[in-house]
């Protein structure tokens, strides 16, 4: 079950998606977090950040739309208040980082490189680039390339940009990120979305728009992971709508080396462990002796004719 996610050494391929598992400690009361392959924490920027005003999440059929706005304790607060517990778990810690300029991302990466117990950085690139008129870094391949190269120079920690799904050609972003020095890639982040209260005719979220996550986005994510795998030279961490082992196994077949459980943690915090057990059972059932054998094992023959197109 061991996976090397671009230098992040996981004892199994299952982690949790940033923002859906707090900083690990919150969930340790509910599940044995030491069984996870890695713990991925909520997004951290340089300074503490209070996020968006309430209401900032709403349930929809097939998932939820959130506009938390990346609330967090900042680098120093994270290192002081949350790392001591995380270190006791013995599980690799992936820190999701963000900023509003390349320099901020780089500074966060630099500071986290000095924090004992941080195993890798997941770069949330779905953030507005304030210096470039507020366009998200993650929807412009040149901005992704420049950002990843800047952060690369700031740290020797494994670097895993997290790709945005709302782009016309994911392969451009895979190439841009890996050529700029990414060690692994995570995908997908939430899909831009909006929910309206029809009685008041107002947006339900104070931020008006948010990001859709949960089962509704799973097939979208599978397609993007499959496309990304065709050009990726680095391992992929897949997420989007995993609710049990089947969705996770689908991602592995599509080309992912590891998977992350997100929104499902809010419904059933034991989901990551069920996913883990389900992958093990699948490997046994199919006579496969490693999870690596499953990665990218998609069979391309037509289901009706059994012929390769
Ligand atoms: C409440 C909430 C908070 C999130 N916070 C972050 C975050 O801080 N950084 C980030 O990169 N992604 C964040 N995400 C996106 C998830 O990590 C994940 O990419 C996405 O939800 C898709 O997976 P899922 O469908 O299994 O939830 C958040 C998602 C949710 C639902």
């Amino acid at each position: 079950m061991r996976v090397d996610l671009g230098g992040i050494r996981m004892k199994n391929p299952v982690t949790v998606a940033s923002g859906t598992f707090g900083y690990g400690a919150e969930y340790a009361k509910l599940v044995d977090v030491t069984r996870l392959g890695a713990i991925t924490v909520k997004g951290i920027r340089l300074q503490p950040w209070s996020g968006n005003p309430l209401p900032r999440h709403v349930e929809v059929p097939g998932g939820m739309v959130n506009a938390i706005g990346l609330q967090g304790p900042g680098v120093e607060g994270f290192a002081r208040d949350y790392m001591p517990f995380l270190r006791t778990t013995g599980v690799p810690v992936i820190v999701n980082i963000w900023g509003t300029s390349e320099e901020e991302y780089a500074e966060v990466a630099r500071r986290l490189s000095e924090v004992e117990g941080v195993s890798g950085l997941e770069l949330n690139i779905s953030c507005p680039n304030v210096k470039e008129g507020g366009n998200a870094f993650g929807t412009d391949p040149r901005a992704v390339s420049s950002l990843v190269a800047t952060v690369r120079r700031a740290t020797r920690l494994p670097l895993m940009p997290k790709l945005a799904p709302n782009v016309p050609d994911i392969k451009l972003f895979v190439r841009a990120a890996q050529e700029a020095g990414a060690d692994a890639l995570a995908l997908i982040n939430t899909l831009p979305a909006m929910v309206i209260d029809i009685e008041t005719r107002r947006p339900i979220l104070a931020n008006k728009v948010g990001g859709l996550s949960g089962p509704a986005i799973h097939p979208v994510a599978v397609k993007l992971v499959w496309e990304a795998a065709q050009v990726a030279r680095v391992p992929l961490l897949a997420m989007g709508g995993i609710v049990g082992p089947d969705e996770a196994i689908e991602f592995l077949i599509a080309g992912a080396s590891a998977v992350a459980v997100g929104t499902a943690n809010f419904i059933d915090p034991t989901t990551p462990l069920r996913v883990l057990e389900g992958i093990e059972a699948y490997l046994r059932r199919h006579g496969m002796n490693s999870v690596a054998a499953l990665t990218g094992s998609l069979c391309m023959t037509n289901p009706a004719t059994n012929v390769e197109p």
Side-chain angles (χ1 to χ4, degrees):
M1 291 290 274
R2 271 197 296 270
V3 169
D4 185 337
L5 190 64
I8 303 167
R9 294 203 182 82
M10 297 167 62
K11 63 179 178 246
N12 67 62
V14 183
T15 183
V16 287
S18 174
T20 67
F21 208 74
Y23 304 92
E26 300 87 336
Y27 275 81
K29 298 166 198 137
L30 304 168
V31 284
D32 182 1
V33 299
T34 66
R35 290 181 58 201
L36 294 170
I39 296 174
T40 309
V41 301
K42 173 75 184 161
I44 302 285
R45 74 178 301 188
L46 206 47
Q47 301 299 338
W49 189 248
S50 55
N52 287 326
L54 303 176
R56 51 190 194 178
H57 74 277
V58 54
E59 229 177 291
V60 293
M64 66 185 278
V65 178
N66 93 83
I68 305 296
L70 299 168
Q71 180 183 336
V75 177
E76 306 305 330
F78 167 70
R80 184 189 60 234
D81 299 338
Y82 296 105
M83 272 313 292
F85 168 77
L86 287 164
R87 278 192 286 267
T88 67
T89 64
V91 172
V93 177
I94 301 174
V95 184
N96 181 282
I97 68 169
W98 69 283
T100 57
S101 66
E102 287 190 4
E103 295 72 30
E104 183 175 1
Y105 276 94
E107 187 56 25
V108 177
R110 203 170 291 120
R111 295 211 196 168
L112 285 170
S113 309
E114 279 149 30
V115 176
E116 191 198 330
V118 175
S119 311
L121 301 178
E122 184 182 60
L123 226 56
N124 179 1
I125 59 176
S126 301
C127 302
N129 181 352
V130 168
K131 283 193 184 156
E132 298 294 330
N135 292 330
F137 288 95
T139 51
D140 173 359
R142 277 165 310 180
V144 169
S145 169
S146 170
L147 175 63
V148 174
T150 301
V151 181
R152 176 73 291 165
R153 287 192 290 274
T155 184
R156 294 171 72 177
L157 283 171
L159 198 58
M160 179 167 61
K162 179 167 172 180
L163 303 182
N166 49 318
V167 295
D169 183 359
I170 197 81
K171 292 179 184 175
L172 295 178
F173 293 83
V174 172
R175 289 200 187 97
Q178 66 191 9
E179 277 158 24
D183 299 299
L185 292 168
L187 67 167
I188 60 174
N189 214 317
T190 54
L191 282 149
M194 183 177 192
V195 188
I196 295 171
D197 180 330
I198 59 165
E199 291 310 318
T200 63
R201 284 180 265 144
R202 289 191 182 125
I204 288 185
L205 298 173
N207 190 55
K208 301 181 187 66
V209 296
L212 176 66
S213 63
I217 72 169
H218 178 67
V220 178
V222 171
K223 184 230 182 208
L224 290 169
V225 168
W226 172 66
E227 285 179 345
Q230 291 166 33
V231 293
R233 285 185 272 104
V234 296
L236 303 178
L237 170 65
M239 65 205 75
I242 296 178
V243 291
D246 293 7
E247 295 79 28
I249 293 164
E250 235 182 302
F251 275 140
L252 296 169
I253 294 171
S257 295
V259 293
V261 176
T263 299
N265 289 311
F266 299 132
I267 304 161
D268 175 4
T270 67
T271 309
L273 301 185
R274 275 197 300 111
V275 166
L276 175 56
E277 287 158 14
I279 295 171
E280 281 169 339
Y282 181 94
L283 293 177
R284 269 196 302 275
R285 193 150 43 85
H286 288 263
M288 294 173 150
N289 58 12
S290 78
V291 69
L294 198 52
T295 292
S297 62
L298 183 68
C299 172
M300 292 300 288
T301 53
N302 180 312
T305 59
N306 214 20
V307 171
E308 189 111 18

